[in-house]
Amino acid sequence: MRVSRKLFALLVLFAACLSPSTAADFKVGLVLDRGGKDDKSFNSSAYEGANLAKSKLGIYLKYVEAADDNAFEPSLRAFAQRDFDLIIGIGFAQKEAVKKVASQFPQKHFAIVDSEVNVPNVRSLMFQEHEGAFLVGAIAAMTSKTGKVGFVGGMDIPLIRRFEMGYTAGAKRINPQVEVLANFVGVTSEAWNNPPKGKELALSQYDRGADVIFAAAGASGLGVFDAAEQKQKFAIGVDANQDWTKPGLILTSMLKRVDEAVFSTIEEAKAGKFSGGVKRFGLANNGVGYSFDQYNAKILSETVRQRADELKAEIMNGKIEVPDYYKLNR
Amino acid sequence: MRRLAQSFLAVAFGLALGLSATWIAGENPWEVLKILARGAFGSRENIGMTLFYTTPLIFTGLSVAVAFQAGLFNVGAEGQLNLGALAAAAIGALLPGLGWPMAPLLASLAALAAGTVWGAIPGWLRARRGSHEVIVTIMLNFVAVGLSTYVALYVLKNPESQNPETRPIGLAYMIPRLGVFGDAPVSAALPLALLVAAIVWVFLRRTALGYELRAVGQSEPAARAAGIDATKMRILAMAIAGGLAGLVGVAEVLGNAGKFKVEFSPQYGFIGIAVALLGRNEPIGIVAAALLFGALHQGTRELDFSTEHITSEVSLVFQGLIILAVSAEPVTNWFRSKPRINTDEL
């Protein structure tokens, strides 16, 4: 025991020398969904946005990953009790927890992604996923030679149905005769992380004649990309720009800028301009869109892009109304 | 006493190993231990969260232990508790008009019954058909999760939420919360768990049936020679084990969520195996072991907040190392520098 005590004393000293100084005065707490910060999709995007704020704005950032659903509420509360200025919950699973904790700490600022919480000190960051999906649907139909396009969704929930509905509408806008093959990976959160199933579904859709498949399935989408490689056909990415993952095969990615939403919320809160309520991210403020970079420059032709940008303008000025699953299924 | 000392040594050994791992990760182990203790017991709410995680672990620990006592290995607690929780939530969703106290009583009985049936199946298959209960319970876990997910999504779906969960049950179904723990969802399920642990102890140690059950576990031929119906005892043990795991539904649905949420359990059923192992299959030991694992699960969340390099997943490392230390008894025996062959286990 005596030896270990000395060792501990040494370690305390060691740690004291290493402990970082926390000079930043604006503190942001991030409670990630169960996927965790390395899911290379939704949570990663949120974490990147917050990390950007850390380097650009000099905030103090702390993130936690929830081990189970019952951990959301105490995690949010722990941040509030520790004098964090802004607490952000990532994902609709935290809706009830954010609602409860925000009501208990009316002086604190909260934000939640993908869910509406009607408490004055909460900002709900909502995305117009259907608008972005409409554009990639149109791009898919313009690129398809078979007149058949595919959709592989992750978990079968209204959020992903919203992607599907927008995608179908976009494809039909270009080619009313287009056939959209749609499948979902699963019905539980496991569906976000099942690449083999995503691949199976995609292979089956390619075999049935689809030559472009939109994967809105989190990490399961990586399986769809594998199928695209195997069949040498096109796939479309989601959330983050995934064009680089299989250059020449990922036609484009439907961007959902969770990172932007998180960053701008932190920026405004730090400047003292935080406001509650619903903040929507759509085509108009580049919250959603499609990607174009060096990795898909050769496969996404200029004419296709021009037409997509025309459609984008028509959605923004109200000439096209994209069907919204949330509104149609209330 | 010796077995108690062994468990204690195993925990200390596992913790020491785990803390050295945090040292490798660049943290001060003494600080980590303090943060762990603060996270688990530092405030009323933290104590409450620890007890909240302890409650289901008492049920699953007892579940595994009762099967162990009859010489059976119940790996199916995870499936049994899922169906128990689903049954409680289903009663609540289907009979919204029921009042207190009939409502929680009926829902609790439903949880118990669902778990009992799901436990009795592998018990029956083992006793009558000779199918190994480990294989059957593992397989039935998948069936139970699939079945409960199906019901939650297609039969009793909550239309208000994107989460895979059933419709909320009425307030009349909720069992009282223990208010001293702040916002932590500690409910009357905790005293219920302690009561059930006492009942299990009395059953195993003070009743003829419990004696027969243990006799089958010690030596089946001897039990048969003494006129004990080993077949019946095996089915009974697995049915009781299933029912105990099903009671997790009371803690989760009636005491906390007010609905069945798919994937609500952070592997309570499997941690229950470790709880039973560490608690030496004795109810009092199981309560203590459940508290330890509950404290680890809760305490490690604090590590996420208070350290730079450690996330809550480190709790899995701690759990793993403690389990390793418990099962690797030669190691702990070596520390006692008195090698001996173990004859009194399981």
Side-chain angles (χ1 to χ4, degrees), chain A residues 10-33:
Chain A
L10 210 68
L11 285 165
V12 173
L13 208 71
F14 181 65
C17 301
L18 282 182
S19 65
S21 59
T22 50
D25 51 355
F26 192 81
K27 291 162 88 177
V28 177
L30 200 62
V31 180
L32 297 171
D33 208 348

Side-chain angles (χ1 to χ4, degrees), chain B residues 95-333:
Chain B
L95 302 171
L98 228 54
W100 207 86
M102 260 318 279
L105 203 63
L106 197 66
S108 302
L109 286 177
L112 185 70
T116 303
V117 170
W118 209 250
I121 296 171
W124 185 85
L125 286 171
R126 169 66 197 260
R128 298 275 176 191
R129 318 291 310 173
S131 324
H132 204 290
E133 79 279 1
V134 170
I135 311 289
V136 177
T137 49
I138 289 176
M139 292 307 174
L140 282 179
N141 280 342
F142 291 105
V143 179
V145 170
L147 199 65
S148 55
T149 305
Y150 175 81
V151 173
L153 284 168
Y154 294 103
V155 185
L156 300 169
K157 184 166 174 44
N158 181 5
E160 300 290 305
S161 173
Q162 301 225 22
N163 296 316
E165 61 189 32
T166 61
R167 301 200 289 269
I169 59 177
L171 270 181
Y173 275 92
M174 299 304 280
I175 55 178
R177 289 260 171 106
L178 306 186
V180 287
F181 297 111
D183 288 298
V186 189
S187 68
L190 176 67
L192 176 71
L194 296 176
L195 179 71
V196 168
I199 293 171
V200 168
W201 184 83
V202 170
F203 167 73
L204 286 175
R205 295 284 158 182
R206 291 287 180 271
T207 67
L209 211 56
Y211 172 79
E212 291 184 4
L213 191 149
R214 283 188 299 129
V216 173
Q218 296 283 326
S219 166
E220 194 188 329
R224 281 195 197 279
I228 295 170
D229 185 348
T231 310
K232 198 179 96 187
M233 280 305 135
R234 288 228 155 105
I235 302 174
L236 179 74
M238 281 307 288
I240 293 174
L244 288 166
L247 286 176
V248 172
V250 177
E252 166 66 15
V253 177
L254 309 181
N256 175 42
K259 57 190 122 185
F260 172 79
K261 296 170 128 181
V262 172
E263 295 171 341
F264 77 89
S265 157
Q267 309 281 318
Y268 289 134
F270 296 107
I271 305 174
I273 297 170
V275 168
L277 196 66
L278 186 61
R280 307 281 159 174
N281 299 322
E282 292 293 343
I284 179 82
I286 284 162
V287 171
L291 182 65
L292 176 80
F293 282 99
L296 270 179
H297 191 89
Q298 161 62 16
T300 43
R301 202 169 49 79
E302 188 77 11
L303 285 177
D304 227 349
F305 279 101
S306 304
T307 65
E308 286 300 318
H309 306 294
I310 303 180
T311 63
S312 54
E313 271 125 17
V314 80
S315 84
L316 296 177
V317 176
F318 277 108
Q319 284 170 15
L321 289 169
I322 290 173
I323 294 163
L324 200 66
V326 179
S327 32
E329 277 186 17
V331 178
T332 45
N333 284 340

